[in-house]
Amino acid sequence: MLNKKAILILIFGIVSLLFSWVPGAGLVLAIFTLCLYAVNKTVRSDIKSEIGRTLAIIAILVSICSLFYVIVLMPLPGNNAPAWLLSLRSAITNTAFYSDFENNFIAEGRYIYLLKGLGVTFEVTFLAVLLGIVLGVIVALVRSSYDTLKDELRGGFGKGVLAFFYKLCGIYLTVIRGTPVVVQLMIIYFVIFATSNNKIMVAVLAFGINSGAYVAEIIRGGIMSIDKGQFEAGRSLGFGYVRTMTFIIIPQAFKAVLPALANEFIVLIKETSVSGYVGLQELTKGGDIIRSRTYSAFMPLIAVAVIYLLIVMFFSWLVSLLERRLKNSER
Amino acid sequence: MNADNDVIISVKDLKKYYNGGEVKALDGVTTDIRKGEVVVVIGPSGSGKSTFLRSLNLLERPTGGTITFEGNDIMAPSTDINKLRQKMGMVFQHFNLFPHLTILRNMTIAPMKLNGLSKEDANAKAMDLLARVGLEDRALAYPSQLSGGQKQRIAIVRALAMDPEVMLFDEPTSALDPEMVGEVLDVMKKLAEAGMTMVCVTHEMGFAREVGTRVIFMDCGRIIEENTPEQIFTNPQNERLQSFLQKVL
């Protein structure tokens, strides 16, 4: 029951954020969400409801902006607006800041560059993080298994295969961490996939492969940070190597490295900003295109920076919530 | 004394060398452990007693010698060591409970995953064992919420949940505050009285004398003297044992 309410608040938070651009609708939904949160004191400790509340607060801010735009700035058909509104409108529209803003974002629908760019940035980041975690876990497991098992395995085929992959992973880590990500991106786009024009796939591959190397070292560090006694306890109960890792070591290691992994995700959001090198129109490139059209650098670049900052702040906040919950389970 | 078929663990000429023989942690240990025995291993630090115990379930891989458990050579490539370890419960100095799992889950994870027990059966069994050590009210707590003595009692019943044939204790009271030693020794004593075969490495001479059926004194990787507790403590033969007992008693 308690859980259902928290999920309801989360869903309403998401919906109100989605509709926040609709003047009025988003505001009503968001306030309703906050009321739900305020009334149900029991769900306060639940992370889902806290996320819902924060989304609702963001939705309210966006709604106020859209309401402000519609009421004050948008020229309505006919001329029945009250005089004070018209004078407020002209007072705002006559400032240099507004004309700059209007020119950069509203004229010819230029905000679309930022919006679409943001979508591409998210798409590339999420897919690359998934690829990075998959690669990272595999590489970390190969490397730490070899370290643990090289004494236990008595030669033979299995050990040879493991040793081969151990070396391969070592080369991967050295090469990827030893070269700049922009160079890797360009090599993948201009050399390896020279015939393909799927820029998103190329960016996902480049950033995923790059991130995998860092994730691997993070996870390996996490596995090594777990007390050896945990491993011995698992083995002494009769679990084999794989099951000990799965049930005992990895859950603890994951918890230990979660902040570092989340940090890697946040780094990756910002890192994708170099995708413009291969012509992918993500957020930074979007701002850059606006700059090249309007010949004004301040507005688009500051807007891009602010958007990155808000995203990073939001995800950092999410991570701190998650960390808090993981800590709770240990107490 | 006992028939050979009572022997559960048979150790022959066990050796464990480090650095290519420079350090000899175990230097030819031979002994048999029979059903129902409580073997207490004593000796100074670095005498190899922990290495000996940890070799019995292959947490340490010996350099030489043989160990047979219920007639199977545990070091043979064809032996499934994981199966054998299920029959050898182990209790560690530092408890090694799984901090990310509740007490109940700590005790049920191995029986459920390895013996295929249903959740209900595993839980019922765990609660039964918890009641035996007086901790049934802590079933849903996490290990970090328990005292050292409670953790060690949980570690003992966690091992017991697998129905082992032998219990190995590696200095189970050495990391405990003095006032918590008693509660753990009580559990071990009850276990011994219930007929469990036990091998204990410990510094608790009182326990060795009272509960042990046989005491092994080790030094420099060898068994120096091995006898009933009475003989060891009242009539030690070897002078190293005599000086050791003088220091610890």
Side-chain angles (χ1 to χ4, degrees):
Chain A
M1 193 60 209
L2 190 141
N3 245 346
K4 270 184 195 158
K5 277 183 189 159
I7 292 172
L8 199 69
I9 291 174
L10 176 62
I11 292 173
F12 267 103
I14 294 171
V15 171
S16 54
L17 188 61
L18 285 177
F19 283 95
S20 58
W21 59 274
V22 181
L27 197 61
V28 171
L29 277 167
I31 289 173
F32 179 69
T33 312
L34 287 184
C35 288
L36 267 185
Y37 180 82
V39 169
N40 295 301
K41 291 198 171 71
T42 46
V43 300
R44 296 260 168 98
S45 57
D46 198 309
I47 280 170
K48 289 186 280 299
S49 64
E50 282 198 36
I51 295 174
R53 182 194 60 163
T54 304
L55 290 176
I57 291 173
I58 297 171
I60 285 182
L61 294 178
V62 178
S63 300
I64 289 173
C65 289
S66 77
L67 271 179
F68 177 79
Y69 179 77
V70 168
I71 295 173
V72 180
L73 299 175
M74 208 154 85
L76 293 166
N79 202 1
N80 46 8
W84 63 268
L85 193 59
L86 289 174
S87 62
L88 178 63
R89 181 182 297 167
S90 61
I92 292 173
T93 50
N94 284 340
T95 56
F97 182 86
Y98 179 78
S99 61
D100 207 12
F101 184 90
E102 206 273 340
N103 183 33
N104 275 300
F105 301 126
I106 297 170
E108 298 176 33
R110 292 199 174 111
Y111 68 93
I112 292 287
Y113 287 116
L114 296 185
L115 220 53
K116 279 194 174 161
L118 184 60
V120 171
T121 292
F122 271 130
E123 190 180 348
V124 170
T125 307
F126 276 117
L127 293 176
V129 153
L130 287 184
L131 180 62
I133 287 180
V134 170
L135 275 176
V137 167
I138 293 172
V139 172
L141 282 179
V142 167
R143 287 183 57 89
S144 56
S145 320
Y146 183 77
D147 287 338
T148 330
L149 290 175
K150 65 172 183 264
D151 299 325
E152 193 173 324
L153 291 174
R154 278 154 284 189
F157 183 69
K159 191 175 182 175
V161 171
L162 193 57
F164 171 75
F165 280 109
Y166 178 80
K167 286 267 156 58
L168 198 67
C169 290
I171 294 170
Y172 164 71
L173 292 179
T174 311
V175 170
I176 294 299
R177 294 195 302 164
T179 52
V181 65
V182 188
V183 177
Q184 294 163 16
L185 178 72
M186 291 201 289
I187 288 176
I188 291 182
Y189 183 69
F190 293 112
V191 180
I192 299 175
F193 287 102
T195 53
S196 164
N197 203 28
N198 190 343
K199 289 170 182 164
I200 287 188
M201 179 204 70
V202 166
V204 167
L205 274 180
F207 292 111
I209 291 172
N210 182 270
S211 160
Y214 294 93
V215 169
E217 288 302 89
I218 291 171
I219 292 180
R220 193 166 73 106
I223 291 173
M224 288 195 318
S225 77
I226 303 302
D227 181 27
K228 204 171 156 244
Q230 292 290 313
F231 191 78
E232 289 181 348
R235 295 306 297 268
S236 76
L237 282 170
F239 286 118
Y241 176 79
V242 174
R243 285 178 169 204
T244 306
M245 291 303 273
T246 321
F247 299 135
I248 291 151
I249 306 297
I250 298 204
Q252 294 184 55
F254 183 72
K255 207 175 190 178
V257 301
L258 195 71
L261 273 187
N263 192 48
E264 176 63 23
F265 172 73
I266 288 167
V267 166
L268 204 57
I269 293 178
K270 293 177 284 173
E271 221 164 53
T272 56
S273 63
V274 299
S275 303
Y277 268 92
V278 298
L280 180 66
Q281 291 190 15
E282 38 66 69
L283 181 57
T284 308
K285 186 74 179 173
D288 200 43
I289 290 173
I290 295 176
R291 185 189 59 77
S292 69
R293 297 280 152 85
T294 61
Y295 298 107
S296 74
F298 178 80
M299 276 283 174
L301 293 183
I302 294 295
V304 166
V306 167
I307 293 171
Y308 276 118
L309 183 65
L310 291 179
I311 294 169
V312 167
M313 280 168 66
F314 178 72
F315 281 106
S316 304
W317 174 78
L318 270 189
V319 168
S320 71
L321 277 189
L322 193 57
E323 257 181 78
R324 206 171 73 199
R325 185 160 86 165
L326 289 174
K327 240 183 220 141
N328 279 350
S329 73
E330 215 169 274
R331 262 196 285 116
Chain B
M1 199 163 70
N2 274 308
D4 251 11
N5 54 13
D6 275 353
V7 172
I8 293 189
I9 304 177
S10 172
V11 180
K12 283 201 181 64
D13 198 27
L14 194 65
K15 292 191 175 86
K16 173 73 180 180
Y17 294 165
Y18 293 104
N19 296 344
E22 218 174 280
V23 183
K24 294 178 177 170
L26 290 178
D27 194 14
V29 172
T30 303
T31 190
D32 286 340
I33 290 154
R34 293 180 187 80
K35 202 166 177 47
E37 265 193 315
V38 179
V39 178
V40 181
V41 186
I42 60 172
S45 318
S47 58
K49 51 194 193 308
S50 270
T51 310
F52 165 70
L53 189 79
R54 290 160 53 84
S55 298
L56 295 181
N57 66 355
L58 281 199
L59 284 183
E60 300 283 348
R61 193 160 276 278
T63 317
T66 58
I67 303 170
T68 50
F69 177 75
E70 294 181 330
N72 304 303
D73 177 2
I74 67 169
M75 282 180 278
S78 58
T79 305
D80 184 356
I81 185 63
N82 297 326
K83 272 268 177 289
L84 293 186
R85 278 181 183 143
Q86 293 176 23
K87 298 182 190 168
M88 294 194 260
M90 182 143 187
V91 176
F92 299 87
Q93 182 178 354
H94 295 289
F95 331 126
N96 296 347
L97 296 179
F98 306 133
H100 61 303
L101 304 175
T102 60
I103 298 307
L104 195 64
R105 191 77 184 123
N106 260 281
M107 295 175 63
T108 56
I109 184 166
M112 280 169 66
K113 304 280 182 193
L114 295 169
N115 291 351
L117 246 62
S118 71
K119 191 173 180 181
E120 292 73 33
D121 290 351
N123 282 352
K125 188 174 184 185
M127 291 309 293
D128 221 40
L129 284 164
L130 281 174
R132 272 169 61 182
V133 294
L135 288 171
E136 64 269 55
D137 55 330
R138 309 313 307 271
L140 296 178
Y142 283 90
S144 55
Q145 298 166 311
L146 303 184
S147 72
Q150 290 175 327
K151 282 184 202 174
Q152 196 61 297
R153 283 187 278 161
I154 297 296
I156 293 171
V157 286
R158 175 178 71 178
L160 288 178
M162 289 298 287
D163 295 322
E165 311 272 330
V166 188
M167 285 285 285
L168 310 175
F169 292 85
D170 190 2
E171 304 198 21
T173 57
S174 298
L176 294 177
D177 288 342
E179 74 263 34
M180 291 171 179
V181 170
E183 59 189 76
V184 172
L185 290 181
D186 279 347
V187 170
M188 291 168 64
K189 199 173 151 188
K190 268 196 226 160
L191 196 57
E193 282 162 2
M196 175 61 76
T197 312
M198 293 161 63
V199 185
C200 311
V201 170
T202 185
H203 295 292
E204 298 294 329
M205 295 304 148
F207 177 83
R209 197 194 298 235
E210 197 184 338
V211 184
T213 56
R214 179 155 56 107
V215 176
I216 292 178
F217 174 70
M218 286 182 70
D219 194 18
C220 301
R222 292 166 191 270
I223 293 180
I224 305 293
E225 199 166 325
E226 152 168 39
N227 216 326
T228 60
E230 207 166 46
Q231 285 295 314
I232 290 272
F233 289 109
T234 57
N235 187 19
Q237 302 297 311
N238 188 284
E239 65 182 77
R240 262 186 286 177
L241 174 57
Q242 288 163 0
S243 74
F244 175 76
L245 289 176
Q246 256 168 20
K247 279 178 211 150
V248 298
L249 287 181

